[in-house]
Amino acid sequence: MSLATVRADLAARAPDLDVMVTDASTATVQLAAEVHGCEPGQIAKTLAIRVNGDEFLLVTRGDARLDNRKAKAAFGGRPRMLGAEDVLRLTSHEVGGVCPFGLPAPLAIYCDVSLRVYDEVIPAGGSTHASVRLPLERLVDLTGGKWADACAVPEAGE
C-alpha cells in the first residue's frame, strides 16, 4: 500500500512527477545509485528521528551520516533514529522505501543542507523498488521548505 499512497500523494500535489518502479532493488543507497546511474550522494535518503519526544523526518544525501553534535544543535536535543516498527507507524513505508511522500499524517520534514550540492535528487518512492527523480528545490517545496544542518558528509577520497 505504501507505493500506492506515494503515487496518490504525488498525483495530487505534483502530477508531473513519476514514481519509477524498477525490477532491481533500490532498498539501499548503493543499490539505488547503481540502478539510477548516479553517485550515492545524489540518492536522497529519509531518516526518521526522535528528539525530546518529537518525531520528524530528515532527508539527507545518501552518503551523509547523522552527526550527533550538529543534530543536537539543529534540533535542540540528542537525536535518536527510530526502529523499523516506529518508522512504519510514522511513515507507512517499510525500511528501504522510506520517503517524505504519502505519509499518513502531517509531519515535520527537514532537508539537510548537505543536499545543496545537487540540482537533482532521487528519494525512494514508498517501496524497495521505487524512486522519484526531481529537482532539489521541488523536493524542498514538497516537504515544507525547512532546512537543517545535521549531517556530516565524507571528505573527498573517503
Side-chain angles (χ1 to χ4, degrees), residues 79-103:
R80 304 242 186 251
M81 298 287 292
L82 298 182
E85 286 183 16
D86 283 328
V87 170
L88 182 60
R89 171 188 53 79
L90 192 65
T91 67
S92 77
H93 309 316
E94 298 275 351
V95 171
V98 178
C99 68
F101 313 119
L103 303 174

Side-chain angles (χ1 to χ4, degrees), residues 67-86:
D67 180 295
N68 282 328
R69 181 186 53 77
K70 290 173 109 179
K72 188 174 181 179
F75 304 121
R78 184 166 182 223
R80 304 242 186 251
M81 298 287 292
L82 298 182
E85 286 183 16
D86 283 328

Side-chain angles (χ1 to χ4, degrees), residues 12-70:
R13 297 189 308 134
D16 57 308
L17 296 178
D18 291 322
V19 179
M20 303 174 287
V21 179
T22 59
D23 290 334
S25 175
T26 55
T28 68
V29 169
Q30 191 59 45
L31 289 172
E34 290 170 12
V35 166
H36 295 294
C38 66
E39 57 187 81
Q42 196 172 356
I43 302 300
K45 69 182 174 186
T46 303
L47 306 176
I49 299 171
R50 181 181 297 124
V51 175
N52 299 327
D54 294 325
E55 296 173 327
F56 56 90
L57 300 180
L58 175 66
V59 184
T60 187
R61 57 187 270 174
D63 59 355
R65 289 188 299 193
L66 192 62
D67 180 295
N68 282 328
R69 181 186 53 77
K70 290 173 109 179

Side-chain angles (χ1 to χ4, degrees), residues 105-124:
L107 185 62
I109 304 169
Y110 298 88
C111 290
D112 191 76
V113 296
S114 64
L115 288 167
R116 288 183 170 157
V117 300
Y118 298 104
D119 293 329
E120 184 177 72
V121 293
I122 308 168

